[in-house]
Amino acid sequence: MNSIDLYPSGVLAPDVAPATPQQHSAWRALAQVIDPEIRQPITTLGMVSAVEFDGDDGVTVTIRLTIAGCPMQDTIHTDVQNALAPVAEGQIAVHLTSMTAEQRVALQDNLTASRPKNPFGKESLTKIYAVASGKGGVGKSTITANLAVGLADRGLSVGLIDADIHGFSIPGLLGITAKPTKVEDMIMPPIAYGVKVMSIGMFLDADQPVAWRGPMLHRALEQFVTDVYWGDVDVLLIDLPPGTGDIAISTAQLLPNAELLVITTPEHTAAQVAARAGQLSTQTSQPVSGVIENMGPMQMPDGTVIEVFGSGGGQAVSERLTDVLDQDVPLLGSIPLDPVLRTDSEHGTPSVVTSPTSAAGSVLREIVATLASARRGLAGRKLPVSPK
Ligand SMILES: Nc1ncnc2c1ncn2[C@@H]1O[C@H](COP(=O)(O)OP(=O)(O)OP(=O)(O)O)[C@@H](O)[C@H]1O
């Protein structure tokens, strides 16, 4: 690796460029440190300003954080120290400074230069699932959060947009209290359990109601799509508001490759409402990838099964949508009513990773495995190759 690969030029160039073999080896070690928000080496982002050795083989590193008081500064500090431990025999001192406004603009330009304004437009290869339900309280947000974390746990790069703007609950479900970091016009999504998350709840005080109409909701969703630095994302999940409102239409416009996942409880009345939500896909031309039944039959310690919300609703929605949409809409699983899922959710610890063997956690993991094996969204799309 030569120096040019190690650091950028212009205003993001280091104040002290590496000159000696010892400095070069320290820079190569620092190239292994990945910025937790941007997910690129801190060296190529222009975050390393100087690496200077003293006579006792101690080293002083100056790091430019993207903003003063960056919420990730402790992580970066520790990662830098760990990376340098093998190359510095003496003391390691890490000085944290912050980028100038000019440097932040240059960083934003570098990051966005080759990216389309909407990274999830028609050409995007990201697999996008919009999670819908006919009515509220069926566990749509709980399932969306768990699916996202489960997919990230399998090594996929996952984004999650909480578009349930009036009833946002994703930050709480994932224990997120951090606000997004802003680098000039770019918003860095907080990361929890490996998932990049964006929610209107992160910009509001707790308990503050959102009284927005359609155009403002559309604008908020648009900003989440275009102004947030998502980087490369394999799977994006959208937690839609319950019902068939404006946001579902906005989602279809902004995320044209999105496929729907429909959540229902086992009750037949709920299933009819959920099927209507699924049929919305005919207006928005979004395929329905599957149905997930939640709050299904629950097995008691003595082996008896209790059907608090009845049974069969998920199967009924799957059959109804398969029939009406004339496409296979499978039932992806039935998640039982499970107190573990409820308490995990309340504590901001998703069962899919914290209670993987619980009744709900194990079904969630099976659904995650099915979704993870689904191919990226190329079906029915024109590829830029011409037949010979
Ligand atoms: N399988 C389950 N077992 C036990 N509790 C569950 C289960 N699924 C969800 N819950 C609980 O049900 C409540 C409602 O869940 P959640 O907020 O995810 O629903 P929702 O459909 O997203 O609601 P809304 O769209 O109205 O915000 C929460 O307290 C959640 O912990």
Side-chain angles (χ1 to χ4, degrees), residues 112-366:
T112 55
S114 57
R115 291 185 180 271
K117 182 100 180 99
N118 176 356
F120 305 116
K122 261 263 171 265
E123 303 304 317
S124 158
L125 288 180
T126 301
K127 187 91 180 159
I128 304 174
Y129 293 113
V131 187
S133 67
K135 58 175 194 157
V138 302
K140 172 180 48 59
S141 305
T142 306
I143 293 175
T144 311
N146 274 278
L147 294 181
V149 170
L151 288 163
D153 189 47
R154 294 177 74 97
L156 294 170
S157 165
V158 183
L160 170 49
I161 294 180
D162 184 0
D164 190 352
I165 283 172
H166 294 294
F168 56 84
S169 53
I170 294 289
L173 286 165
L174 296 179
I176 301 174
T177 49
K179 300 261 181 231
T181 311
K182 255 195 116 194
V183 176
E184 293 308 297
D185 296 335
M186 227 170 27
I187 303 168
M188 300 295 169
I191 299 175
Y193 297 94
V195 178
K196 295 176 182 169
V197 185
M198 194 42 63
S199 169
I200 195 74
M202 295 169 182
F203 299 91
L204 301 172
D205 295 332
D207 305 328
Q208 190 177 336
V210 184
W212 287 1
R213 289 177 179 280
M216 278 173 82
L217 295 177
H218 182 89
R219 181 70 198 114
L221 187 61
E222 191 173 31
Q223 273 195 305
F224 285 175
V225 170
T226 58
D227 296 354
V228 170
Y229 180 74
W230 290 104
D232 289 323
V233 170
D234 298 313
V235 187
L236 178 73
L237 286 114
I238 323 289
D239 183 17
L240 292 176
T244 53
D246 295 325
I247 280 279
I249 314 276
S250 295
T251 308
Q253 286 170 1
L254 291 165
L255 308 165
N257 301 336
E259 302 167 30
L260 287 178
L261 290 175
V262 177
I263 314 295
T264 183
T265 56
E267 295 157 293
H268 280 266
T269 45
Q272 281 165 9
V273 183
R276 273 206 295 280
Q279 282 168 35
L280 175 75
S281 69
T282 49
Q283 290 164 35
T284 56
S285 307
Q286 290 166 314
V288 183
S289 304
V291 175
I292 298 172
E293 182 179 87
N294 188 33
M295 307 189 177
M298 169 188 189
Q299 186 160 21
M300 304 306 287
D302 66 1
T304 55
V305 173
I306 296 192
E307 296 178 350
V308 177
F309 294 107
S311 66
Q315 187 61 35
V317 178
S318 152
E319 286 169 12
R320 173 87 186 271
L321 291 178
T322 298
D323 187 33
V324 174
L325 303 178
D326 199 21
Q327 61 160 117
D328 183 30
V329 181
L331 176 62
L332 298 172
S334 175
I335 302 162
L337 197 64
D338 183 356
V340 174
L341 181 59
R342 198 201 61 73
T343 43
D344 278 348
S345 301
E346 202 175 344
H347 296 141
T349 55
S351 293
V352 76
V353 289
T354 52
S355 309
T357 56
S358 63
S362 54
V363 179
L364 280 161
R365 289 185 82 82
E366 285 167 21

